[in-house]
Amino acid sequence: MDSIPNLTLPPPPPLIICGPSGVGKGTLLSKAIFSSTSLLLPSPFSFSTSHTTRLPRFGETDGLEYNFVLPSFFQSNRHLFLETATVHGNEYGTTFKAVRDVRERNLICVLDLDVQGVKTLKRGIQSTEQQQQQQQQQTENKTNNFEMFLGSKFIFITPPSFSTLEKRLLNRNTETSETLKLRLENAKSEIEYGTEEGVFDEIIVNDDVEKATEKLADVIEKLYPDQRLERRKQ
Ligand SMILES: Nc1ncnc2c1ncn2[C@@H]1O[C@H](COP(=O)(O)OP(=O)(O)OP(=O)(O)O)[C@@H](O)[C@H]1O
């Protein structure tokens, strides 16, 4: 007997935000899409819950801010992760399941990825597109973790200048002189990649925070024409 077709449409593809550390990704995202105060117009976007080996801070709940796991979880389950990164000796990563969970809630998944993560994702998307063109997917009937990322939108946030990025990292007061140096060294090649023609759908210069927030909201509404974001009076 034929199975009943699933008539619910999947949510729109994920939104990927990338940019050097300290450029203001978190700041702009929380102002542009996660600041909704209206219960009638809740944000259609949601972050996925990452995994980490760092210990929970006071007030953090397992499964909410992060899935707190042992280092052995990362070692034995690499295949479950879209991307992983080591920060200050702790592992962080996004599993395919975490993205799927957001999509099952019918929300658009937002991923804050570094350049390595973007490259991995783009490779996965490209090979999935190739497989689909050759129609191998149907004949082999394999589940492909990258299928849900087809059509993802990529936004790169860049600083107005290198010295501004350095100032922001310094003012944030989160860096030692070593991590500051490392983040700035990485930023050079990240900005080079991010501003290359055709890699990202949109590039936003985070100069004035209010203008950049407005620009981010405009760009998101352009990339997701069926979505409306709650705009704040400045
Ligand atoms: N347009 C802006 N003008 C001035 N300061 C800003 C601007 N945007 C962000 N900042 C400040 O810069 C610092 C870095 O911002 P934020 O933490 O959002 O960066 P991030 O890209 O999310 O960094 P990370 O990738 O390390 O998490 C913060 O102290 C933030 O308040």
Side-chain angles (χ1 to χ4, degrees), residues 138-157:
Q138 281 132 337
T139 46
E140 286 176 14
N141 200 23
K142 262 204 247 162
T143 48
N144 179 336
N145 280 324
F146 287 98
E147 227 170 52
M148 64 186 160
F149 292 99
L150 291 175
S152 288
K153 311 294 177 197
F154 292 83
I155 299 178
F156 190 76
I157 315 279

Side-chain angles (χ1 to χ4, degrees), residues 62-209:
D62 185 33
L64 210 61
E65 286 84 2
Y66 284 99
N67 295 301
F68 296 99
V69 292
L70 295 170
S72 56
F73 182 86
F74 274 79
Q75 283 149 20
S76 4
N77 293 295
R78 287 279 163 200
H79 61 288
L80 300 182
F81 285 89
L82 162 66
E83 52 94 42
T84 59
T86 310
V87 184
H88 304 322
N90 292 311
E91 298 256 34
Y92 291 81
T94 308
T95 58
F96 292 104
K97 181 178 180 303
V99 178
R100 209 169 287 123
D101 285 348
V102 171
R103 290 172 61 74
E104 277 170 9
R105 285 159 51 216
N106 219 21
L107 294 169
I108 303 170
C109 187
V110 182
L111 290 161
D112 177 344
L113 295 184
D114 64 9
V115 160
Q116 285 317 316
V118 167
K119 286 182 179 171
T120 308
L121 180 54
K122 280 186 174 268
R123 274 198 301 274
I125 291 174
Q126 207 182 12
S127 73
T128 305
E129 283 168 348
Q130 281 163 1
Q131 281 172 18
Q132 288 198 342
Q133 273 165 13
Q134 296 159 2
Q135 291 184 324
Q136 282 176 0
Q137 194 61 26
Q138 281 132 337
T139 46
E140 286 176 14
N141 200 23
K142 262 204 247 162
T143 48
N144 179 336
N145 280 324
F146 287 98
E147 227 170 52
M148 64 186 160
F149 292 99
L150 291 175
S152 288
K153 311 294 177 197
F154 292 83
I155 299 178
F156 190 76
I157 315 279
T158 193
S161 69
F162 207 69
S163 58
T164 312
L165 181 65
E166 187 170 5
K167 264 187 233 141
R168 282 186 196 159
L169 278 169
L170 277 172
N171 290 344
R172 196 170 67 170
N173 257 330
T174 49
E175 308 306 312
T176 63
S177 58
E178 273 137 55
T179 60
L180 178 70
K181 195 165 160 260
L182 186 69
R183 285 186 197 272
L184 289 173
E185 271 167 21
N186 288 341
K188 279 198 187 115
S189 56
E190 286 167 352
I191 294 170
E192 244 170 63
Y193 173 76
T195 52
E196 242 175 66
E197 178 122 11
V199 177
F200 283 81
D201 294 301
E202 295 281 345
I203 298 170
I204 294 173
V205 180
N206 182 14
D207 193 348
D208 173 76
V209 72

